[in-house]
Amino acid sequence: AAGALDGTELVEIEQGGESKQTTTQDIADLGGGGALTVSPQTDNFTADGASGTVYTNEGAAAAVTATLDPLTENGVKYVFLVMEAQDFSVVLPDGHTLYYYSSSGANDIGKGAAVGDGAWDMVSSENGSIIEITKVNNETWFGWVLGFAFND
């Protein structure tokens, strides 16, 4: 039986008709990295964690506001999930725009709609409401929303 791999083992692969070598760690890194980070928040905070962070309001006894960091790198994705029956708001930085798709039954907000300028937020106190957003360029975010309302 083979022993445990440590990531330094070389593996022969064929790429573009050529024989090449890579490590087992390089192949493992293609998988996207394992478990997500879940970050329960009970007070107002700036969302500035690693891409893939799932922010919740688990344990909150009052409203929680997440403000998106304007210096977030392009390609970073965040998830915001309501787990307590308290308002959980997500606020864009000034000058930023979110293009989103939302379908919440009778409360359909719209496909490809845009909101922005930092003067609004998304808020929900309904358990299971979720927002997933990705920063796509310096001042633009894209995502989908379920169960959150938009407030100007």
Side-chain angles (χ1 to χ4, degrees):
L5 302 177
D6 67 11
T8 62
E9 298 81 8
L10 291 175
V11 178
E12 286 285 329
I13 62 168
E14 186 175 318
Q15 185 178 37
E18 295 180 30
S19 181
K20 297 186 178 189
Q21 287 187 334
T22 190
T23 66
T24 53
Q25 185 60 56
D26 288 337
I27 294 170
D29 289 344
L30 294 173
L36 297 174
T37 299
V38 177
S39 181
Q41 302 290 325
T42 57
D43 293 308
N44 296 343
F45 67 101
T46 298
D48 58 3
S51 185
T53 300
V54 178
Y55 293 104
T56 74
N57 68 340
E58 182 177 20
V64 174
T65 297
T67 301
L68 297 172
D69 184 351
L71 301 178
T72 299
E73 291 184 26
N74 296 341
V76 170
K77 178 186 296 184
Y78 294 133
V79 175
F80 299 90
L81 175 63
V82 177
M83 294 183 66
E84 298 290 346
Q86 302 289 341
D87 281 355
F88 190 14
S89 299
V90 181
V91 179
L92 279 179
D94 287 341
H96 286 226
T97 301
L98 170 69
Y99 294 93
Y100 64 91
Y101 176 78
S102 177
S103 183
S104 301
N107 298 321
D108 187 31
I109 296 170
K111 181 176 181 180
V115 293
D117 80 11
W120 64 276
D121 67 353
M122 298 168 279
V123 63
S124 180
S125 60
E126 182 180 337
N127 289 351
S129 295
I130 190 168
I131 301 169
E132 179 181 293
I133 58 174
T134 303
K135 189 170 184 191
V136 294
N137 69 35
N138 292 337
E139 295 180 346
T140 305
W141 300 75
F142 177 81
W144 57 268
V145 180
L146 180 61
F148 275 76
F150 288 85
N151 296 324
D152 291 328

